[in-house]
Amino acid sequence: MVILLPVIGFSQQTNLSQYVKPLIGTAKMGHTFPGATVPFGSIQLSPETDTIPYAVNGKYTGDVYKYCAGYQYDDPTIVGFSHTHFSGTGHSDLGDILVMPTQGKVQLNPGTKDHPENGYRSKYSHDNEISEANYYSVKLDKHNIKAELTTSTRVGMHRYTFPSSDQSHLILDLTSGIYNYEGKNVWTFVRVLNDSTITGYRQTNGWARTRTVYFAIKTSKPFKNYGAKYLDKDVQYKGFWRKFDQENNFPELAAHNIKMHLDFDTKEGEQIGLKVALSPVSMKNALSNMEVETADWNFDRIVSKGKEDWNKELNKFKVEMLNKEDLVNFYTSVYHANLMPTVYMDLNGEYKGLDQEVHVADGFTNYTSFSLWDTFRAFHPWLNLVSPQRNSDMVSSMMAHHSQSVLGMLPIWSHYANENWCMSGYHSVSVVVDAIMKGVYKGDAEAALSACVETANSRRYEGIGDYIDLGYVPDDKNGTSVSNTLEYAYDDWCIAQLAEKLGKKEIAAEFTKRAGNWRNLYDERIGFMRPKDSQGKFREKFDVLDTHGQGFIEGNTWNYTLYVPHQPVELMETMGGISRFENYLDSLFSMHLPDHYFENTEDITREGIIGNYVHGNEPSHHVAYLYNVTKSPWKSQARIRQIIRNQYHNGPAGLGGNDDCGQMSAWYLFSSLGFYPVAPGEPMYWIGSPLVKSAEIQLENGKLLKIVAKNQSEKNVYVTKVFWNGKEVLGFKLPHEEIAEGGELQFIMSSKPKKS
């Protein structure tokens, strides 16, 4: 079956949001949220399905990992709806301002999934759940309340349909959060301005250790009463606020932990609306954001506006696929690749910087939540092709981060005016350089190079001092010494490319030398990268299949040995030449990795593995394309189609690993179109095997990129010839400069590989 969308002018919009399934990827390893949001929106309004704490009695609870996005498809209850989420991360935070509608006696405790009757949570059924682009609804069975959610960029809009009752409530749980633990809430402040307006803020100490979220809340109907509960324990000084009854209708509240209830009388079928606006700067700005973005209570208008925003992004692509499942996967991947990073500034341009001061974004949109260890690989290159202005703004956001950093560093993994230092490498360097090399970032290139160099020379960070002195990160000083060395070497190569472009010969020479540091950890005796101590001695006890305690992060040496994306030919030669390199790749995909090698690794499951190739973790995302430097490039084509068919499906377990803020989806999108950025920083794409029958991409410069796969079928996975604008392509690379100017890329497909 062929799904062919009607060919129409790009000035018109087709409702492509019908092919978006936000529930795809919400199983254990998916960690995507199914709620409502607009592209790159500050608000991601979504259900929470349990209250698993990060730690109990100071000990980490492994089950919390499944709740990185707050939602688990298999859970039988919904706790409430909160306004901030990460998409597909392997760690978490956020989950701000949880709202839950209830009836009857006020319950401020969430209860448990086994006994929801003991709290405000409710059972629900997927039969009564709808998840679409910028719209989510579900029936809460406990009190037969219908919940509906939608958003603008900075405002979450709720609509609750109640049964008749003189005891209807909206619970505001300001203690709730994702990866919660006792003491995470540093402070909470609330002001009830009138019988329908509340403002406040809360500060948390989590993945971001100093994160303040300001909010404004309005109800469409005045509440008849309201109340609050302070949950603080062992407060030594309580002051003279004890003169007041602060639990009932008291307009100013302040404590570490606060829960509130707003009380209403409701008629049968009566709808009560709720708006929650957020700001990184102030309560005043939150109110202003609300007044401008959601001036009235027209819920359906906000839904429609959000769908228009999504269709604008989706309609950049007109694709013809082999079947409907592929069509859903493609447009859902586009959706996933437009969720994060998120806008982090108010409508007046103000945002809180890394220095905790208020700044104004001058000439750019400020973004936050940069999962750079993941997204430098394909997500940011994807934006460089299809949304270059947005990615330019993201680079400007990174440069602002650098200017505000007391350590003088570009971001590593940053969110909400904080650096959380997660993962390894300094991959903002890759994003900055790739954007400049492709002509996307129009800012000060020399200032960008200076920021990259300063970051790469930050000796106190993650073994960089030893890396500079020894040419590698030593195993006796760092638990992920090999990963760090390999990733630094690639980032250093990026710096060398930019320095060369700008005529900075000394910097280019220095970082070209550093780019070869991967050689220092290759042990030719065993044919793998291997940890080495400060004295230059390789570790004796070393398991090439294990993912724990071997000097790597989220991968074993079988996968990481191939992490030299900037010098693949040199790596091949170092590993013994073409035949040996090809055999290595064959073995990686065909061997069996026993479960015990990853059973205690949270972010790797059997579903994300093909042989010993771990697609569910990003360090291997370029690997299938490496056959292009061997005598059997057709094997890349077969492996790419195998990965697509094995790792991407419709349904709640549709992804073989964390989407990691769009990286898994960006890999799928590039690979579906037939090319991939193996080494961002080099303005080239490597040819693979397209999945599309045809595609038209409306580029931001007004040009049209057409892709045609002749003789495309399920069996015809091999590419016999490639033509660019009618001229045959010799070799396996395509220059970004030409692709970005539009034209026609034609693949001739066959069921038999071209081995000559």
Side-chain angles (χ1 to χ4, degrees):
M1 176 177 66
V2 172
I3 304 297
L4 178 60
L5 293 178
V7 178
I8 61 174
F10 278 89
S11 60
Q12 298 174 278
Q13 281 196 5
T14 302
N15 181 27
L16 297 179
S17 65
Q18 64 182 302
Y19 298 108
V20 170
K21 306 297 180 187
L23 281 168
I24 289 178
T26 57
K28 178 181 178 182
M29 287 303 298
H31 295 160
T32 55
F33 62 89
T37 189
V38 296
F40 302 98
S42 298
I43 300 286
Q44 290 137 348
L45 180 51
S46 188
E48 315 292 339
T49 58
D50 211 341
T51 54
I52 303 296
Y54 177 79
V56 175
N57 297 323
K59 185 177 180 180
Y60 173 68
T61 55
D63 256 3
V64 73
Y65 182 78
K66 295 184 290 185
Y67 293 87
C68 289
Y71 180 95
Q72 273 292 299
Y73 187 82
D74 292 335
D75 282 346
T77 64
I78 284 176
V79 178
F81 309 99
S82 71
H83 294 76
T84 57
H85 294 84
F86 289 132
S87 177
T89 55
H91 199 83
S92 205
D93 209 341
L94 312 185
D96 296 295
I97 324 297
L98 185 112
V99 178
M100 187 64 171
T102 67
Q103 286 190 323
K105 181 182 177 181
V106 171
Q107 293 176 298
L108 294 179
N109 176 55
T112 65
K113 65 181 178 183
D114 295 325
H115 293 285
E117 70 277 4
N118 293 338
Y120 56 70
R121 78 171 69 202
S122 173
K123 289 185 177 181
Y124 78 108
S125 168
H126 293 303
D127 293 337
N128 298 315
E129 183 183 38
I130 298 172
S131 180
E132 299 174 348
N134 201 40
Y135 178 77
Y136 177 89
S137 74
V138 67
K139 189 183 85 169
L140 301 171
D141 293 337
K142 185 174 184 179
H143 297 295
N144 194 29
I145 298 171
K146 182 180 180 180
E148 298 175 275
L149 312 175
T150 191
T151 70
S152 63
T153 298
R154 298 167 181 84
V155 185
M157 201 166 185
H158 309 233
R159 183 166 68 186
Y160 298 113
T161 304
F162 285 89
S164 175
S165 175
D166 60 358
Q167 289 185 302
S168 293
H169 316 285
L170 291 176
I171 305 300
L172 304 179
D173 192 336
L174 302 179
T175 73
S176 183
I178 300 173
Y179 272 42
N180 236 7
Y181 53 86
E182 188 172 343
K184 182 174 181 178
N185 286 339
V186 176
W187 199 246
T188 308
F189 175 76
V190 176
R191 297 188 75 201
V192 182
L193 302 184
N194 54 48
D195 59 5
S196 60
T197 308
I198 299 171
T199 60
Y201 68 83
R202 78 167 190 154
Q203 186 182 64
T204 59
N205 173 16
W207 204 13
R209 70 178 182 180
T210 309
R211 190 176 70 92
T212 306
V213 177
Y214 298 88
F215 62 85
I217 299 172
K218 281 184 178 285
T219 58
S220 62
K221 176 180 181 176
F223 36 87
K224 63 178 183 179
N225 293 296
Y226 63 94
K229 197 80 173 177
Y230 287 0
L231 303 174
D232 291 3
K233 298 178 181 178
D234 303 322
V235 177
Q236 299 300 308
Y237 178 74
K238 298 183 180 180
F240 294 92
W241 289 93
R242 63 181 179 270
K243 295 179 179 181
F244 298 97
D245 174 7
Q246 296 182 66
E247 293 192 354
N248 295 287
N249 298 310
F250 193 74
E252 186 171 280
L253 309 170
H256 294 92
N257 297 285
I258 299 173
K259 296 186 180 185
M260 297 185 66
H261 59 93
L262 312 179
D263 307 327
F264 304 86
D265 293 331
T266 56
K267 300 176 182 178
E268 186 66 32
E270 183 175 359
Q271 294 181 333
I272 295 180
L274 181 78
K275 300 177 190 178
V276 178
L278 300 185
S279 164
V281 170
S282 68
M283 297 177 287
K284 177 183 177 182
N285 280 7
L287 273 171
S288 179
N289 291 339
M290 181 189 294
E291 290 165 359
V292 174
E293 291 191 353
T294 54
D296 55 30
W297 288 97
N298 191 333
F299 181 92
D300 295 329
R301 182 182 64 81
I302 300 300
V303 172
S304 296
K305 175 61 170 63
K307 286 189 182 295
E308 287 176 13
D309 291 344
W310 277 114
N311 276 313
K312 181 179 178 181
E313 296 297 328
L314 299 168
N315 272 269
K316 292 178 180 178
F317 311 92
K318 299 290 190 294
V319 295
E320 183 185 356
M321 309 294 285
L322 291 170
N323 54 60
K324 186 175 181 180
E325 181 179 18
D326 290 339
L327 199 68
V328 169
N329 283 341
F330 187 92
Y331 283 108
T332 299
S333 293
V334 174
Y335 174 83
H336 284 157
N338 280 274
L339 293 176
M340 297 181 69
T342 57
V343 172
Y344 191 64
M345 60 182 247
D346 295 319
L347 283 167
N348 63 5
E350 292 183 342
Y351 70 95
K352 183 173 286 187
L354 190 68
D355 54 6
Q356 300 301 299
E357 299 288 353
V358 176
H359 299 264
V360 176
D362 184 11
F364 70 98
T365 299
N366 190 60
Y367 288 87
T368 191
S369 298
F370 289 109
S371 182
L372 291 159
W373 184 83
D374 311 289
T375 57
F376 82 90
R377 304 168 197 271
F379 171 78
H380 285 286
W382 175 252
L383 293 186
N384 280 338
L385 180 63
V386 303
S387 298
Q389 182 57 55
R390 197 183 298 275
N391 204 51
S392 179
D393 286 351
M394 291 178 185
V395 172
S396 293
S397 302
M398 295 178 195
M399 290 297 292
H401 176 112
H402 170 264
S403 71
Q404 298 154 12
S405 168
V406 72
L407 297 177
M409 293 184 70
L410 288 161
I412 303 297
W413 208 126
S414 63
H415 71 284
Y416 286 72
N418 277 255
E419 174 61 79
N420 64 44
W421 304 108
C422 187
M423 304 308 290
S424 59
Y426 30 84
H427 297 309
S428 50
V429 163
S430 170
V431 177
V432 170
V433 170
D434 195 49
I436 296 174
M437 297 297 289
K438 291 174 178 173
V440 168
Y441 179 61
K442 305 300 185 183
D444 188 335
E446 293 204 2
L449 175 62
S450 177
C452 291
V453 170
E454 187 176 6
T455 301
N457 286 331
S458 297
R459 297 180 64 91
R460 72 177 76 188
Y461 175 69
E462 193 84 60
I464 289 178
D466 288 315
Y467 171 81
I468 293 171
D469 296 339
L470 301 174
Y472 62 92
V473 178
D475 180 41
D476 49 325
K477 295 185 179 181
N478 188 282
T480 55
S481 60
V482 187
S483 296
N484 288 346
T485 299
L486 297 174
E487 294 182 40
Y488 293 160
Y490 159 71
D491 290 332
D492 290 344
W493 172 84
C494 290
I495 295 173
Q497 305 314 297
L498 180 55
E500 190 71 37
K501 179 182 178 69
L502 298 179
K504 306 295 183 181
K505 299 299 183 183
E506 290 186 8
I507 296 175
E510 175 189 355
F511 282 91
T512 295
K513 181 180 179 181
R514 284 171 57 160
N517 280 342
W518 57 270
R519 297 176 184 274
N520 297 327
L521 293 185
Y522 182 76
D523 186 350
E524 61 182 11
R525 296 170 301 173
I526 64 171
F528 295 100
M529 301 292 176
R530 187 173 188 172
K532 182 186 287 185
D533 67 19
S534 302
Q535 305 306 312
K537 183 180 179 182
F538 283 116
R539 183 193 293 192
E540 292 184 5
K541 292 184 178 180
F542 180 59
D543 191 332
V544 298
L545 294 178
D546 205 350
T547 58
H548 273 291
Q550 305 299 313
F552 302 91
I553 187 167
E554 297 193 10
N556 60 27
T557 193
W558 264 95
N559 286 272
Y560 257 107
T561 293
L562 297 169
Y563 192 73
V564 188
H566 56 297
Q567 295 174 338
V569 174
E570 293 88 337
L571 174 67
M572 178 177 65
E573 292 169 348
T574 300
M575 293 179 67
I578 290 179
S579 295
R580 194 169 188 278
F581 190 66
E582 184 176 332
N583 289 336
Y584 185 106
L585 291 170
D586 290 342
S587 298
L588 178 72
F589 282 100
S590 61
M591 68 190 294
H592 176 67
L593 181 65
D595 287 359
H596 71 267
Y597 282 112
F598 57 86
E599 62 187 359
N600 295 316
T601 305
E602 291 178 315
D603 39 29
I604 301 176
T605 64
R606 175 61 63 192
E607 292 78 15
I609 298 174
I610 299 173
N612 185 14
Y613 166 79
V614 184
H615 189 73
N617 269 333
E618 282 72 16
S620 299
H621 275 192
H622 69 294
V623 166
Y625 288 84
L626 293 180
Y627 281 108
N628 280 352
V629 300
T630 74
K631 292 181 179 179
S632 302
W634 57 271
K635 291 183 179 180
S636 276
Q637 299 152 24
R639 291 302 183 193
I640 290 163
R641 187 69 67 91
Q642 179 187 15
I643 293 167
I644 286 174
R645 288 293 178 236
N646 186 275
Q647 296 291 296
Y648 298 87
H649 307 285
N650 289 184
L655 294 175
N658 299 337
D659 193 55
D660 281 313
C661 303
Q663 169 57 27
M664 281 276 283
S665 294
W667 186 96
Y668 177 91
L669 292 168
F670 268 125
S671 296
S672 293
L673 296 177
F675 53 93
Y676 186 80
V678 166
E682 177 190 43
M684 303 289 287
Y685 301 106
W686 289 39
I687 291 172
S689 173
L691 180 67
V692 301
K693 287 175 67 68
S694 67
E696 293 186 357
I697 304 172
Q698 181 65 66
L699 301 174
E700 203 169 84
N701 58 10
K703 305 294 180 64
L704 190 65
L705 174 61
K706 296 183 179 181
I707 296 165
V708 177
K710 287 195 170 183
N711 307 321
Q712 179 69 286
S713 72
E714 197 64 47
K715 293 182 179 179
N716 292 0
V717 304
Y718 299 105
V719 177
T720 59
K721 288 185 179 181
V722 179
F723 296 90
W724 174 245
N725 290 332
K727 183 178 179 180
E728 185 172 0
V729 176
L730 302 178
F732 294 91
K733 290 186 178 182
L734 301 166
H736 170 84
E737 182 180 13
E738 293 184 15
I739 296 295
E741 282 299 307
E744 181 171 293
L745 181 63
Q746 185 182 102
F747 296 87
I748 309 300
M749 309 300 292
S750 173
S751 62
K752 296 180 180 179
K754 182 180 179 181
K755 295 188 177 181
S756 59

